[in-house]
Amino acid sequence: MVLFFLGLGGANFAVYTLWLPEQYSTECRASAFAFTTSVGRFVGAGITFLVGMGVQRFGTIGTPVAVTSVAFLIGLALLPWGEETRGRALPL
């Protein structure tokens, strides 16, 4: 119930605490959840430093932020090779 109100406040990351653990079996759920959330935080921290170095090099924040869009473009390019799982049973 409280997660709903967090979502209204813009904290949509709260959904990951419900959705992400369900992607793993019970035997490894806690370890997998901790690993995936921690890796994302470390990568995010690294990207923050890279953007800071880009601002120092280019003298503006616009160019480094625009360069980060390349990651999204790569993700969009990979979408056709994704597997559609709608209507399928979850693996055991």
Side-chain angles (χ1 to χ4, degrees):
M1 181 72 175
V2 174
L3 289 175
F4 172 76
F5 294 110
L6 285 173
L8 288 178
N12 56 359
F13 65 88
V15 174
Y16 292 128
T17 60
L18 300 174
W19 171 73
L20 194 57
E22 295 300 321
Q23 304 301 311
Y24 303 101
S25 63
T26 306
E27 292 82 21
C28 71
R29 186 170 291 165
S31 298
F33 179 70
F35 176 77
T36 54
T37 55
S38 296
V39 166
R41 289 178 180 153
F42 282 114
V43 170
I47 296 297
T48 301
F49 285 112
L50 286 175
V51 170
M53 288 171 28
V55 169
Q56 184 178 13
R57 170 139 167 63
F58 294 108
T60 179
I61 195 168
T63 304
V65 169
V67 170
T68 61
S69 68
V70 171
F72 295 104
L73 293 174
I74 291 170
L76 285 173
L78 292 174
L79 277 177
W81 290 280
E83 183 177 350
E84 177 60 55
T85 58
R86 183 182 295 167
R88 289 188 184 173
L90 291 174
L92 298 176

